[in-house]
Amino acid sequence: MTAIQYFWRHPLAEQVREEGREEGREEGREEGREEGREQGRAEAKAEMILHILEWRGIEVTDAVRERVEACADLGRLEVWAQRAVHATDAAELLAGE
C-alpha cells in the first residue's frame, strides 16, 4: 500500500506557508513600529502642552493633566497646544470638547 502525499503536507506547500508567515511577521513588526512612533509623538506633544502651561504659570488640575496625557489624537493635541499658548486657565484647553 502506498502512502498518499496530501498537498498541504507537501514540502512546497510547507515552504509557501512559512514564507507567508514570515511576510506577515514583518508586516506586523512594521505596523508596530509605526504605532510606536505615533504614540511617542502624541506623548511628546502632550508633555509639551503641559510644559507650556507650566512655563506660563498656569496651574494644571489633575483632571486636565490626565485628559491631556491620555489623548493619542495628534490633531486634537495640536489644537490644545495652540490653545495652551493663549489660555488664561488650563480648563480653556478642553473648552467645547
Side-chain angles (χ1 to χ4, degrees):
M1 189 181 256
T2 14
I4 298 174
Q5 183 78 345
Y6 292 103
F7 175 73
W8 60 85
R9 296 184 67 155
H10 189 274
L12 179 60
E14 290 177 11
Q15 178 185 350
V16 169
R17 279 194 301 275
E18 183 56 38
E19 288 172 4
R21 283 188 208 105
E22 185 58 38
E23 285 178 20
R25 283 191 287 267
E26 184 56 39
E27 287 174 11
R29 282 191 285 271
E30 183 56 38
E31 287 174 15
R33 282 192 287 271
E34 182 55 37
E35 287 175 14
R37 284 189 287 268
E38 188 161 326
Q39 181 181 358
R41 286 190 291 269
E43 289 173 2
K45 191 167 288 246
E47 186 177 329
M48 183 55 63
I49 291 167
L50 297 172
H51 281 308
I52 290 170
L53 293 172
E54 177 186 313
W55 295 330
R56 295 189 61 229
I58 297 173
E59 184 178 335
V60 179
T61 64
D62 289 340
V64 170
R65 180 178 303 282
E66 288 172 10
R67 181 97 181 266
V68 170
E69 289 175 343
C71 185
D73 181 345
L74 290 171
R76 178 169 290 164
L77 288 166
E78 180 63 31
V79 169
W80 290 350
Q82 292 172 10
R83 289 180 185 172
V85 173
H86 302 289
T88 57
D89 182 274
E92 288 181 34
L93 287 179
L94 312 176
E97 303 276 329

